[in-house]
Amino acid sequence: IGEEKFDSLEAAVAAAEDGDTIVLQQSTTGAGVVIDKSITIDLNGKTYTVNKCIGSSGTQTLGIQILKDNDVTIKNGTLAATTVTEGKPVKMLVQNYANLTLTDVTLDGTGSAEMQYVLSNNSGEVNITGQTNITAPDGAVAFDVYDYTSAGYSVPVVNVNTSGKITGNIEVTEEIAENLNISSGIFTVPIDEKWCAEGFEPTDNGNGTYGVKLHYVAEIN
């Protein structure tokens, strides 16, 4: 953080104040973290691999948990999970309740044999931008858009505008399907028309991947 150095991401997040940027200095493996402040994590082209989960007592299966009422950016590198963990395996790489921006980042859940959700969006506005990739193992969910209002959270809005690839399933609570707005990206599952941003429609790329395209309206002179 600035000129101050820390031995772990956990320590850096604990010391950070609102508005700070944490810059990862080298690829490393370490514990998951709870983020309850408005910060930026610049992975600086490196990889952070979670090998010790966080979460509620008895259910510590999360990698990164981002709490509500914060503005968080994660960019420029890779967040990953591993099967070789201290305690329970990583089942959810990022659980988000905040306003979250992912830019030029890869969320890689393939390293954990028990990964269920790579990115879970339960509240806040999420922007997936730049060349961001989300990679889930076979049968797992790349990201969801989940209505968690029963627990007092506002419904999430997820905007996907990436040149990267989303590998894995997508889960959307039907009642808030229009809160997912996809305007670009490469996907391994078909895109529901309800998930498209305004002016876009689903498309089949013809090579086993899917996406969206602008819905053109012919102009008659």
Side-chain angles (χ1 to χ4, degrees):
I1 303 174
E3 297 300 318
E4 190 172 2
K5 299 185 185 299
F6 300 86
D7 291 334
S8 68
L9 179 62
E10 192 175 18
V13 169
E17 298 180 353
D18 284 345
D20 279 347
T21 296
I22 296 169
V23 182
L24 193 66
Q25 298 300 299
Q26 63 185 37
S27 293
T28 188
T29 299
V33 293
V34 178
I35 300 175
D36 191 14
K37 54 194 72 175
S38 294
I39 59 174
T40 294
I41 297 179
D42 183 353
L43 295 167
N44 193 27
K46 311 298 191 297
T47 298
Y48 187 80
T49 303
V50 177
N51 73 341
K52 183 179 180 181
C53 294
I54 57 169
S56 302
S57 178
T59 58
Q60 296 95 337
T61 57
L62 306 178
I64 308 293
Q65 185 181 50
I66 307 171
L67 302 186
K68 69 174 185 175
D69 300 327
N70 294 293
D71 298 293
V72 173
T73 296
I74 303 174
K75 64 181 183 178
N76 300 338
T78 299
L79 277 177
T82 177
T83 297
V84 183
T85 59
E86 299 178 28
K88 295 181 181 294
V90 183
K91 295 184 178 181
M92 184 180 293
L93 184 58
V94 178
Q95 183 184 59
N96 177 62
Y97 295 92
N99 297 325
L100 173 63
T101 299
L102 299 172
T103 302
D104 298 328
V105 67
T106 293
L107 303 182
D108 185 359
T110 60
S112 172
E114 298 197 37
M115 182 64 61
Q116 297 176 355
Y117 291 81
V118 180
L119 170 64
S120 183
N121 300 299
N122 302 291
S123 186
E125 181 172 345
V126 178
N127 291 291
I128 300 172
T129 67
Q131 189 174 354
T132 291
N133 305 286
I134 302 175
T135 308
D138 289 345
V141 176
F143 73 84
D144 68 1
V145 185
Y146 184 65
D147 185 346
Y148 205 33
T149 51
S150 61
Y153 294 96
S154 61
V155 292
V157 175
V158 179
N159 305 309
V160 183
N161 182 15
T162 178
S163 60
K165 187 174 184 179
I166 310 298
T167 302
N169 297 322
I170 297 172
E171 285 187 359
V172 184
T173 302
E174 181 63 26
E175 291 75 14
I176 59 169
E178 294 183 355
N179 283 30
L180 173 56
N181 305 297
I182 299 174
S183 56
S184 68
I186 301 168
F187 302 83
T188 60
V189 296
I191 303 304
D192 191 308
E193 187 173 0
K194 294 178 182 178
W195 303 347
C196 297
E198 185 175 358
F200 290 83
E201 63 184 9
T203 184
D204 184 338
N205 296 332
N207 59 359
T209 67
Y210 305 87
V212 299
K213 63 180 180 180
L214 280 170
H215 178 72
Y216 292 101
V217 178
E219 189 174 293
I220 301 174
N221 293 320

